[in-house]
Amino acid sequence: MIPSIKFIPSKKLVGLSLTMSFADNKTAELWRSFMPRRKEITNAISNDLYSLQVYSENFFSQFNPTTEFTKWALVEVTDFNEVPEGMQMFTLPEGQYAVFNYKGSSAKGAEVMGYILQEWLPQSGYQLDNRPHFEVLGEKYKNNSDESEEEIWIPIR
């Protein structure tokens, strides 16, 4: 997988979050709570979904599968004027990203991230930046399908 390098402006996002670890993965629970409510967000820019992770600064250099991080299920919005009750606002900071187009099942997520962080990144000339990591789940995303397509956005500097 060869990424494209993109700089994006900050984005306004609205959704739900959960604290979890890789050892205690609550991703399915998060999306089960978000998906029935996503249509309550009336000012969404598109139908794309954002699966976003906020890791501590040394999360990957001192990796431990029980270290907690915050995972979000989000959509991009025009503004924060109409946030449904119980949902949260998140501002994604501007920055440079390596964007990988991935086709395949989410079950291979650990393998894909291993390649990106342990093989591609050290050879790329870039360093991992301390900003959110996220995936854009567009119209070609099909949960747990080998035919699923998504974009994996890795913050770099």
Side-chain angles (χ1 to χ4, degrees):
M1 288 192 308
I2 298 173
S4 57
I5 306 301
K6 295 183 180 180
F7 183 89
I8 59 167
S10 68
K11 295 178 178 284
K12 292 176 174 65
L13 305 163
V14 169
L16 298 174
S17 68
L18 274 179
T19 299
M20 64 183 76
S21 69
F22 287 113
D24 184 22
N25 190 330
K26 298 177 183 173
T27 300
E29 177 185 336
L30 173 63
W31 285 98
R32 273 195 304 272
S33 65
F34 177 72
M35 289 305 286
R37 298 195 59 206
R38 72 184 265 215
K39 295 296 183 194
E40 294 175 34
I41 303 169
T42 57
N43 59 342
I45 288 178
S46 73
N47 289 323
D48 290 349
L49 302 171
Y50 285 71
S51 179
L52 184 144
Q53 299 75 227
V54 177
Y55 302 110
S56 62
E57 188 167 357
N58 297 318
F59 187 89
F60 291 104
S61 62
Q62 300 170 359
F63 183 73
N64 179 329
T66 62
T67 300
E68 292 185 331
F69 61 93
T70 304
K71 186 158 197 160
W72 293 78
L74 300 154
V75 295
E76 186 176 3
V77 295
T78 54
D79 54 54
F80 291 138
N81 295 339
E82 300 176 33
V83 178
E85 187 174 334
M87 289 203 188
Q88 302 157 290
M89 299 174 282
F90 186 92
T91 301
L92 179 66
E94 70 176 20
Q96 192 170 40
Y97 281 85
V99 183
F100 295 84
N101 292 314
Y102 173 67
K103 182 176 182 179
S105 171
S106 58
K108 295 182 180 173
E111 180 181 322
V112 172
M113 289 306 294
Y115 163 77
I116 292 171
L117 297 175
Q118 296 170 354
E119 293 183 41
W120 179 82
L121 188 62
Q123 298 171 18
S124 70
Y126 294 100
Q127 293 180 327
L128 195 61
D129 202 0
N130 187 28
R131 287 179 287 115
H133 297 226
F134 63 94
E135 295 79 45
V136 176
L137 314 176
E139 61 185 43
K140 294 182 180 180
Y141 179 76
K142 299 173 183 76
N143 191 28
N144 293 326
S145 168
D146 289 337
E147 297 303 310
S148 184
E149 295 183 38
E150 65 188 83
E151 295 175 348
I152 300 170
W153 292 66
I154 306 296
I156 56 172
R157 54 182 156 84

